[in-house]
Amino acid sequence: MPDRVSVYEVAARDGLQNERATVPLRSKLRLIDALVRAGLARIEITSFVSPKWIPQLADADEVAQHAKAPAGVTFSALCPNAKGLARARAAGLGEIAVFVSASETHNRKNVNKTIAETLHAFDDTIGPALAAGLRVRGYVSTVWGCPYEGDVDPRRALEIAQKLLDAGCYQVSLGDTIGVGTPTQTARILQLMSREIPAERIAMHMHDTRGTALANVVVGLQMGIRTFDASVGGMGGCPYAPGAAGNLATEDLVYMLHGMGVQTGIDLDQLVEAGKVAESIVGRPLPGKVHQAGVRSLKA
Ligand code: HMG
Ligand code: MG
């Protein structure tokens, strides 16, 4: 096991994009502040996508302008095209994330383009963002399975991940968008990936729809993965991936890692408080296990 891993927090983006109700700007800023207080150093705060497609994040410009990143904290946001990049730059973000699926149907439903067209359109985002001094992260979605096509060939995901890294992404986050992955499948996918890509350039983005996310994370840890995406309270899901429930809850991930002696730089008690803020702003019970059960030390 490593001494330390990096946690990439996505509740303010993956979480809020999937809420039925739109959360007001002030509440979003409260959530981001609570995440910063908990010690999260990498936070995806919103998406510069079309407000027609994701109305819940239509206030991305205001969120990015008002959210305060102290030294050492990086804020990022999803960015699908040149318009998104212009908005991210105007808001002063230092990092963006581009995204594409490993399955054609999900990609088409999510961004209205084929995979090839999406990769081609990254010429308008990745290169210009790097030239402007931003860092770019890449997502490959539906790596473990597609809500429309079922099984996905991991070789397709590898090919896309390599293209993202070649184009200049510093890291590629592999997504189990609908939370179907199992540990043996994860081992197979990561074995294939790590033949071509150094493990430190891969992150795992597991949705916990079927309760297998932590088991998959343990496999990732054993295979050299050192960045894990998670969402406080276990919020999250892609509106264009039917049946996708919450992301792996950040509290569950951090509880397990700290218990295994793997440091994260996160204060678990403060993180639990951030989960309470998340729950209060969305106005419904959140599914995270530690969020519901609380932190309990086995020491007397
Ligand atoms: P389109 O309709 O094909 O494109 O959408 P368009 O260029 O015709 O744009 C439509 C309208 O949106 C136009 O407005 C544009 O100006 C506007 P109109 O002229 O009709 O008034 N528009 C924008 N406005 C603001 N900012 C922009 C922007 N772009 C266009 N950046 C598009 C194509 C890609 C824009 C659209 O499909 C889209 O925004 N999709 C985003 C979907 C999304 O955010 N999905 C969830 C995130 S992915 C995810 O959750 C998976 C992940 O978590 C990993 C995992 O779990 O595996 C990352
Ligand atoms: Mg996701």
Side-chain angles (χ1 to χ4, degrees), residues 13-14 17 48 50 52 81 83 87 110 112 141 177:
R13 191 280 301 171
D14 207 326
Q17 77 182 10
F48 292 106
S50 168
K52 293 193 171 133
N81 52 22
K83 193 164 189 176
R87 293 172 67 199
N110 200 35
N112 203 23
S141 293
T177 317

Side-chain angles (χ1 to χ4, degrees), residues 103-107 142-152 178 180:
S103 55
E104 280 300 342
T105 315
H106 179 257
N107 199 67
T142 65
V143 176
W144 277 257
C146 171
Y148 305 100
E149 296 175 17
D151 289 346
V152 172
I178 53 169
V180 287

